[in-house]
Amino acid sequence: MKKTFLPLILGAAILSACGEEEAGSSAEGGDTVTLSFATTMDDSGVDKEIREYFEEQITELSDGTIDMEFFMGGQIGGEREALEQMMLGELDMGYNVIQAELYYQEYNAINIPFLFPDFESMQRFMDGPIGDEIERLSREEGGIIPLGMHGYGSRWTTSNVPFSNADELKGLAIRMPEIEWWVDVWDEMGALPTPIAATEIVTALQTGTVDAQENFLTNIAGRQMWDYQDYLIDTEHIQFYQTWVISEDTWENKLNESQQEAVEEAVQRTTDHVAEIVEEMNEEFLKEIEEGGMEIIYSDQQSFRDAADPAIQRIIEEELAEGVYEEVLRAIGE
């Protein structure tokens, strides 16, 4: 177990009230249970819609026997802290992405840029045998159970330097999340990727540390990136998603069978709902971004894929477990 950091201690304190409310409720048959739910995503845009819709569904499906306590925007710490709390049974649910790197990186093909053409093919991949292996490793390594995933659409790039193809991209200093595969791919394309925490994006742009950043449209609009960037480019290099997970301790010791079924169905309904609304919401975000003053550049996406391919092939050959790429090909229909 990793050393416990201050955010974990603070998070445990915040969640202690939830634990008190859970007294008397168990899988053996209490009337109600309060589940704590945490994510680093802000309570705005798509994520606000997700929170509100999920809360409605879980109330209906559980006949009011499950109450939700939400901690949005990293209120109890980052994703690592949240996962540690789930392992300890101090946090019940959430959605995030970092568990893939921590527990099953060699099966995490959906995190390779340009590999999957759309979210539907990513779901087909996860619904196959690789998904079963991921669930096993999630339980064994992290004490969590995956329940589903939802997407936000593809990630775009904002920049103060216009570009529309891989040649024009070369030499661009771009902020990247601290995800090694993404950094490798953008480096292969000729950019100068710099891993910077999400909380430091605006500062990095204002100080000229980087001239660009990539993100999904909900964040680009929510952070009003038109105040710092001139151009929005449809690189669409990867589909952004979050995985819903629940603490194995919560599943086995706090929920009875009907409540387990209610949680599963509520997550399924919510992820289906997101799939129905996300495209329309992204169209609205594009309008908002353009009205804010950013120029939208529709690019030669194939040039980016071609330039990135050597790095993608290295990741496939050197990083993925045997048989994973074959499942990728099945999922994308090749």
Side-chain angles (χ1 to χ4, degrees):
M1 179 67 67
K2 299 181 181 68
K3 180 180 178 181
T4 300
F5 295 97
L6 181 59
L8 179 55
I9 298 172
L10 293 175
I14 292 173
L15 294 174
S16 63
C18 298
E20 291 172 5
E21 291 184 41
E22 287 161 1
S25 295
S26 70
E28 281 71 40
D31 290 333
T32 63
V33 60
T34 298
L35 299 185
S36 53
F37 185 108
T39 178
T40 58
M41 306 302 288
D42 293 333
D43 193 26
S44 61
V46 175
D47 291 282
K48 182 178 180 181
E49 173 73 17
I50 289 171
R51 175 185 59 77
E52 293 175 345
Y53 190 87
F54 177 69
E55 188 168 24
E56 291 174 2
Q57 297 304 309
I58 197 65
T59 299
E60 173 190 332
L61 291 163
S62 71
D63 293 324
T65 68
I66 298 177
D67 293 325
M68 298 302 305
E69 191 85 19
F70 291 93
F71 300 93
M72 307 291 285
Q75 286 178 273
I76 62 171
E79 290 193 1
R80 288 177 185 269
E81 288 80 21
L83 290 170
E84 287 178 354
Q85 290 178 51
M86 285 189 205
M87 182 182 290
L88 295 170
E90 295 172 351
L91 173 65
D92 299 307
M93 292 185 65
Y95 55 72
N96 37 59
V97 295
I98 199 171
Q99 70 276 354
E101 292 185 51
L102 297 177
Y103 309 141
Y104 51 86
Q105 175 78 329
E106 68 273 27
Y107 295 95
N108 191 31
I110 59 176
N111 202 36
I112 302 175
F114 299 113
L115 193 57
F116 288 86
D118 50 41
F119 184 71
E120 290 71 26
S121 59
M122 291 167 59
Q123 286 186 308
R124 288 194 295 272
F125 173 80
M126 293 296 290
D127 287 341
I130 300 303
D132 295 336
E133 185 65 11
I134 284 172
E135 178 174 349
R136 182 186 69 80
L137 290 169
S138 295
R139 285 178 177 251
E140 288 183 1
E141 302 294 329
I144 57 173
I145 302 171
L147 296 174
M149 56 191 287
H150 69 262
Y152 294 86
S154 55
R155 293 178 75 100
W156 293 46
T157 301
T158 67
S159 176
N160 285 324
V161 178
F163 65 89
S164 61
N165 56 57
D167 287 337
E168 295 172 352
L169 172 69
K170 290 179 179 176
L172 180 71
I174 181 170
R175 175 267 171 181
M176 299 297 297
E178 297 172 289
I179 300 175
E180 183 180 355
W181 290 355
W182 293 16
V183 172
D184 291 346
V185 165
W186 281 82
D187 182 67
E188 187 71 44
M189 289 195 292
L192 302 175
T194 302
I196 296 173
T199 54
E200 302 299 322
I201 290 175
V202 171
T203 300
L205 292 171
Q206 290 176 323
T207 59
T209 303
V210 293
D211 293 314
Q213 64 97 41
E214 59 76 59
N215 227 302
F216 55 110
L217 292 173
T218 249
N219 265 1
I220 291 170
R223 292 171 179 165
Q224 298 184 340
M225 293 305 295
W226 50 80
D227 289 336
Y228 317 102
Q229 301 268 257
D230 297 326
Y231 304 97
L232 174 68
I233 302 97
D234 69 333
T235 49
E236 297 191 278
H237 44 283
I238 197 163
Q239 297 287 322
F240 185 57
Y241 70 97
Q242 295 273 303
T243 299
W244 292 64
V245 294
I246 188 167
S247 166
E248 191 171 26
D249 179 76
T250 297
W251 186 259
E252 295 180 350
N253 299 316
K254 293 183 182 179
L255 301 176
N256 59 41
E257 185 175 349
S258 65
Q259 289 170 330
Q260 291 173 348
E261 292 173 357
V263 169
E264 286 186 308
E265 178 63 20
V267 171
Q268 183 62 57
R269 288 188 185 183
T270 304
T271 56
D272 288 345
H273 177 66
V274 176
E276 293 172 357
I277 67 169
V278 70
E279 185 175 351
E280 181 178 347
M281 293 188 75
N282 280 337
E283 288 297 325
E284 292 301 316
F285 291 141
L286 282 173
K287 291 178 184 178
E288 184 180 356
I289 290 166
E290 194 165 30
E291 289 171 358
M294 295 182 77
E295 178 183 340
I296 300 177
I297 298 175
Y298 293 95
S299 62
D300 178 5
Q301 294 179 354
Q302 189 60 49
S303 74
F304 299 133
R305 294 188 184 94
D306 292 343
D309 191 62
I312 294 169
Q313 294 306 315
R314 283 197 302 272
I315 294 169
I316 290 170
E317 294 170 7
E318 299 174 8
E319 304 287 344
L320 294 184
E322 184 178 352
V324 173
Y325 186 55
E326 286 71 19
E327 287 301 311
V328 171
L329 295 177
R330 179 195 61 78
I332 65 178
E334 292 187 5

